[in-house]
Amino acid sequence: MPVPEFILSLREKIGHAPLWLSGVSAVVLDAEDRVLLTRRVDNGRWAVVSGVLEPGEEPGPAALREIAEETGVTAELVRLTSVDVTDPIVYPNGDHTQYLDLCFLARHVSGEARVADDENTDVRWFPVDQLPDDLTDTSRLRIDKALHHGPEAWFRG
């Protein structure tokens, strides 16, 4: 999905200045407990599914929407696993952004994993103990919090 209209409208006013956004991400597991990852167009690295909340959109439905839009997979949410603030990001076009990210653990319900949008070049399931070396640091952190830590670690960096 292209950049949401509300962000394009804001960028017309603020240019490349820092923009604070709310986002969602999802650690999606299949029946074999493999993690669904996407290879991002913007940086070429593997990452968990993620996206921007539209104005007024609820985080849970937004995470499910992003999973379907990016991978063609239908999932169900299990629980919220972390709330984090990303480091500042500078995109190739010069836009500066930082996100409040709400990450969910989700389970595959149906659908074959595939590239379903223009934000990714590849989509694959990975065994948890065989994650790719070029996985983004934020995704590694989100997977770790979702799968290996209890509630005491979900809401701190």
Side-chain angles (χ1 to χ4, degrees):
M1 180 178 179
V3 177
E5 278 298 318
F6 82 95
I7 293 176
L8 293 175
S9 178
L10 287 169
R11 287 287 178 207
E12 286 178 7
K13 295 171 181 61
I14 68 167
H16 298 300
L19 183 58
W20 174 255
L21 294 169
S22 298
V24 293
S25 58
V27 175
V28 183
L29 299 177
D30 69 1
E32 298 172 37
D33 284 336
R34 297 178 301 172
V35 178
L36 183 62
L37 298 177
T38 64
R39 186 179 288 277
R40 297 180 55 94
V41 167
D42 62 355
N43 62 21
R45 297 181 71 190
W46 289 99
V48 297
V49 173
S50 63
V52 176
L53 280 168
E54 296 284 340
E57 187 176 27
E58 293 287 334
L64 295 175
R65 173 184 54 76
E66 289 290 345
I67 295 166
E69 284 179 358
E70 292 187 14
T71 71
V73 165
T74 299
E76 64 183 1
L77 298 181
V78 176
R79 68 175 184 272
L80 181 69
T81 60
S82 62
V83 176
D84 294 298
V85 174
T86 67
D87 289 335
I89 298 166
V90 180
Y91 288 100
N93 69 354
D95 287 350
H96 291 244
T97 307
Q98 194 168 12
Y99 294 91
L100 172 68
D101 180 77
L102 291 88
C103 185
F104 294 87
L105 178 63
R107 284 273 178 197
H108 173 265
V109 172
S110 65
E112 290 294 319
R114 61 181 170 78
V115 175
D117 66 6
D118 61 356
E119 295 178 36
N120 301 294
T121 60
D122 199 358
V123 173
R124 287 191 220 162
W125 295 101
F126 288 87
V128 174
D129 61 352
Q130 296 176 24
L131 298 174
D133 291 336
D134 59 346
L135 179 66
T136 63
D137 292 339
T138 55
S139 292
R140 198 170 299 281
L141 176 66
R142 291 169 188 162
I143 292 167
D144 187 50
K145 286 183 175 184
L147 303 181
H148 304 296
H149 292 292
E152 70 282 353
W154 293 347
F155 305 106
R156 61 181 165 79

